């Protein structure tokens, strides 16, 4: 019995020993882990510096795209930083993407629209953009925008939400400029002995394009669009009595569509002309993949190119093409012209930078009065306008794609800001564009006029006359205002 008890005691005595050994092993393992952690620790480190604040600047183009595609069309980030006086982060986007950024509360301080867009015009009065006078009242008390500026650049209430980047403000431009241009490849002209004078006639142009199509299968014979032919063939925004009219309803448009239909039918016109972006056209020209180019975007593109761009050596200006009617080429006016403009977003953390930019833009077009200069000096913006008597230069690129300021701009684009009229415009315009493609690409030559007349009837059903009446009223209002300023 004693032996059994003694055996049990020895058995119980081994358990505490094993437990102690286990605890000791765990302690040693813990010390080893801690030692490894100490060896790998980088020790004391200074907190990382906060990233430098950047002004968020959106550049809204028709096609969006990354900045390298538009390096010759848009001002560089470096130039924008010079204007803003601080680092700038640039986003190039479409109008839809811009609206999505705003809806997602992505910070945007400044936005430059490279064209007039219905959605963006309505966005101006949404409460998310700053009234320019209110911005000045906040940052430069006493700086008042003059009446002629508000009349030309403001809406029907006299409020200005966007700064237009145009050549002059408050007066009619005295120097007209052609809004279209035709470029022909210099090397191909010389290789096939095609005289540049032939492009003044429709049939001779057709013959030249056929020559290129047969001899150069890797070259697109032509990019020629409707708006270019409308202007070359003499389409007018005003009738003989001076009333507003839709250029699509004029016989010059039918002649242009019939000519495009013929070009397309003979494989002389690329379908890309209906969808190409400025960057695509620029690439095609620089790589000399097109023989003859005459499109609406081409003129503004050429304005933005530097003088040493290789395009000037590869292509020469030809035309314009004469119409059957014998009408003279019509110089561009700003009735339907798209111009760049800049808006300043509410809620920005950099209102003083916004005011600085507004002063720079204002100095491009307007003379500073004594009272304005005093307000600028008092607010501490004196350095911004110390460029001397001549106004500061525009940053280039898109800002130099000036519309012809024949009349107050916002009046002529007022239908974009009216929801009902904007819906009518979008319905009529989207249908017209579809019909344009149909007439040119899939309509037999003998049926072009019939489909064109049917298109006009459908456009009238969709409200095109309402738009014409609105434009006519606004044109007369703008005319009276322009004449009063003379």
């Amino acid at each position: 019995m004693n032996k059994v008890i003694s055996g049990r005691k020895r058995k119980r005595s081994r358990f505490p020993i094993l437990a102690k050994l286990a605890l000791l092993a765990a302690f040693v393992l813990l010390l080893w882990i801690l030692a490894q952690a100490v060896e790998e620790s980088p020790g004391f480190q200074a907190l990382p510096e906060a990233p430098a604040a950047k002004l968020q600047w959106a550049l809204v183009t028709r096609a969006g795209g990354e900045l390298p595609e538009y390096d010759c069309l848009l001002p560089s980030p470096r130039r924008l930083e010079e204007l803003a006086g601080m680092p700038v982060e640039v986003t190039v986007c479409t109008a839809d993407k811009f609206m999505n950024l705003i809806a997602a509360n992505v910070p945007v301080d400044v936005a430059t629209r490279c064209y007039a867009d219905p959605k963006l015009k309505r966005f101006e009065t949404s409460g998310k953009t700053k009234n320019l006078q209110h911005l000045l009242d906040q940052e430069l008390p006493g700086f008042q925008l003059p009446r002629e500026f508000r009349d030309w650049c403001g809406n029907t209430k006299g409020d200005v939400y966007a700064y237009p980047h145009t050549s002059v403000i408050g007066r009619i431009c005295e120097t007209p400029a052609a809004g279209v241009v035709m470029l022909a490849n210099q090397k191909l002209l010389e290789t096939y002995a095609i005289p540049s004078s032939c492009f003044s006639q429709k049939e001779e142009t057709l013959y030249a394009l056929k020559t290129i199509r047969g001899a150069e299968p890797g070259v697109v014979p032509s990019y020629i669009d409707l708006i270019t032919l409308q202007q070359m063939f003499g389409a007018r925004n005003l009738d003989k009595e001076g009333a507003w009219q839709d250029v699509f309803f004029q016989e010059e448009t039918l002649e242009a569509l019939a000519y495009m239909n013929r070009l397309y039918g003979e494989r002389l016109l690329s379908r890309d002309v209906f969808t190409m972006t400025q960057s695509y056209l620029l690439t095609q020209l620089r790589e000399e993949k097109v023989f003859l180019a005459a499109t609406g975007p081409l003129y503004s593109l050429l304005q933005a190119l530097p003088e040493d761009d290789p395009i000037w050596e590869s292509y020469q200006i030809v035309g314009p093409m004469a119409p059957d009617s014998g009408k003279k080429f019509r110089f561009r006016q700003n009735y339907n012209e798209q111009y760049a403009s800049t808006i300043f977003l509410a809620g920005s953390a950099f209102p003083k930078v916004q005011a600085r930019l507004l002063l720079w833009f204002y100095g491009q077009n307007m003379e500073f009065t004594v009272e304005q200069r005093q307000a600028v000096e008092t607010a501490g913006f004196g350095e911004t306008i110390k460029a001397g008597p001549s106004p500061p230069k525009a940053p280039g690129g898109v800002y130099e794609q000036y519309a012809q300021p024949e009349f107050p701009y916002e009046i002529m684009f007022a239908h974009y800001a009216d929801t009902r009229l904007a819906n009518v415009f979008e319905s009529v315009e989207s249908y017209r564009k579809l019909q344009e493609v149909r007439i040119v690409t899939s309509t037999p030559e003998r049926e072009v006029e019939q489909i064109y007349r049917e298109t006009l009837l459908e456009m009238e059903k969709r409200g095109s006359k309402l738009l014409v009446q609105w434009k006519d009223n606004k044109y007369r209002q703008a005319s009276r205002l322009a004449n009063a300023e003379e």
Side-chain angles (χ1 to χ4, degrees), residues 385-448:
I385 64 172
K386 282 185 177 179
S390 59
K393 293 182 179 180
V398 69
Y399 296 97
E400 293 175 355
Q401 298 178 26
Y402 291 136
Q404 297 301 314
E406 305 259 345
F407 294 99
Y409 318 101
E410 293 302 316
I411 291 178
M412 302 310 299
F413 287 95
H415 62 284
Y416 283 161
D418 184 285
T419 302
R420 180 194 174 198
L421 286 169
N423 290 336
V424 171
F425 171 79
E426 289 174 1
S427 173
V428 171
E429 188 65 9
S430 60
Y431 172 75
R432 183 200 66 75
K433 288 181 178 178
L434 289 174
Q435 288 300 99
E436 177 188 337
V437 176
R438 175 191 175 190
I439 292 172
V440 172
T441 64
S442 61
T443 300
E445 187 175 351
R446 63 182 181 280
E447 298 178 12
V448 167

Side-chain angles (χ1 to χ4, degrees), residues 202-221:
K202 294 196 308 185
E203 291 301 321
E204 292 186 32
T205 299
L206 195 94
Y207 180 79
L209 295 178
K210 286 182 178 179
T211 300
I212 298 302
R213 185 199 65 193
E216 299 285 346
V219 175
V220 176

Side-chain angles (χ1 to χ4, degrees), residues 58 92 240 255 384 420 473:
V92 182
K240 295 180 180 179
E255 181 182 353
T384 305
R420 180 194 174 198
N473 290 334

Side-chain angles (χ1 to χ4, degrees), residues 193-461:
I194 300 174
S196 58
S197 59
C198 77
F199 298 100
S200 62
Q201 301 298 321
K202 294 196 308 185
E203 291 301 321
E204 292 186 32
T205 299
L206 195 94
Y207 180 79
L209 295 178
K210 286 182 178 179
T211 300
I212 298 302
R213 185 199 65 193
E216 299 285 346
V219 175
V220 176
S222 75
Y223 294 133
I224 302 177
D225 66 5
L226 178 61
I227 190 172
T228 298
L229 290 177
Q230 283 175 318
Q231 294 188 67
M232 286 197 291
F233 290 175
R236 303 290 198 269
N237 287 104
L238 304 176
D239 62 19
K240 295 180 180 179
E241 286 72 37
W244 186 267
Q245 60 183 359
D246 189 334
V247 293
F248 194 80
F249 282 71
Q250 297 174 50
E251 292 302 307
E252 290 80 14
T253 296
L254 174 57
E255 181 182 353
L257 289 170
Y259 191 65
M260 291 178 69
N261 175 274
R262 186 178 175 190
L263 291 176
Y264 187 83
E266 300 198 32
R267 295 180 292 116
L268 304 175
L269 176 68
S270 171
R271 191 186 180 97
D272 290 342
V273 75
F274 299 108
T275 57
M276 70 168 55
T277 63
Q278 278 190 326
S279 61
Y280 178 81
L281 176 59
L282 181 61
T283 300
Q284 292 290 89
L285 290 171
R286 282 182 170 162
E287 296 179 1
E288 299 188 52
K289 292 183 177 180
V290 59
F291 171 60
L292 183 67
T295 69
L298 178 61
Y299 181 72
S300 56
L301 185 150
L302 294 179
Q303 284 183 302
L305 292 180
E307 294 181 358
D308 59 350
D309 194 277
I311 286 180
W312 298 117
E313 296 182 0
S314 304
Y315 288 84
Q316 73 174 71
I317 296 176
V318 296
M321 201 182 305
D324 296 338
S325 64
K327 281 189 176 181
K328 293 183 178 181
F329 171 82
R330 180 62 171 171
F331 283 112
R332 176 179 65 171
Q333 294 176 312
N334 78 316
Y335 307 136
N336 295 309
E337 184 55 55
Q338 303 295 325
Y339 59 91
S341 60
T342 294
I343 55 176
F344 302 96
L345 281 297
S348 170
F350 309 105
K352 290 189 179 300
V353 177
Q354 292 177 327
R356 171 190 169 98
L357 290 169
L358 178 54
L359 283 179
W360 268 92
F361 296 149
Y362 186 86
Q364 297 175 47
N365 309 102
M366 309 292 289
E367 298 259 346
F368 291 104
T369 65
V370 174
E371 292 77 13
Q372 288 174 336
R373 288 184 177 277
Q374 289 176 347
V376 169
E377 292 290 345
T378 302
F381 288 90
E383 293 296 326
T384 305
I385 64 172
K386 282 185 177 179
S390 59
K393 293 182 179 180
V398 69
Y399 296 97
E400 293 175 355
Q401 298 178 26
Y402 291 136
Q404 297 301 314
E406 305 259 345
F407 294 99
Y409 318 101
E410 293 302 316
I411 291 178
M412 302 310 299
F413 287 95
H415 62 284
Y416 283 161
D418 184 285
T419 302
R420 180 194 174 198
L421 286 169
N423 290 336
V424 171
F425 171 79
E426 289 174 1
S427 173
V428 171
E429 188 65 9
S430 60
Y431 172 75
R432 183 200 66 75
K433 288 181 178 178
L434 289 174
Q435 288 300 99
E436 177 188 337
V437 176
R438 175 191 175 190
I439 292 172
V440 172
T441 64
S442 61
T443 300
E445 187 175 351
R446 63 182 181 280
E447 298 178 12
V448 167
E449 182 172 358
Q450 175 190 340
I451 302 301
Y452 169 71
R453 302 296 179 194
E454 293 173 357
T455 300
L456 299 185
L457 292 175
E458 179 61 26
M459 288 175 65
E460 289 180 344
K461 290 180 182 179

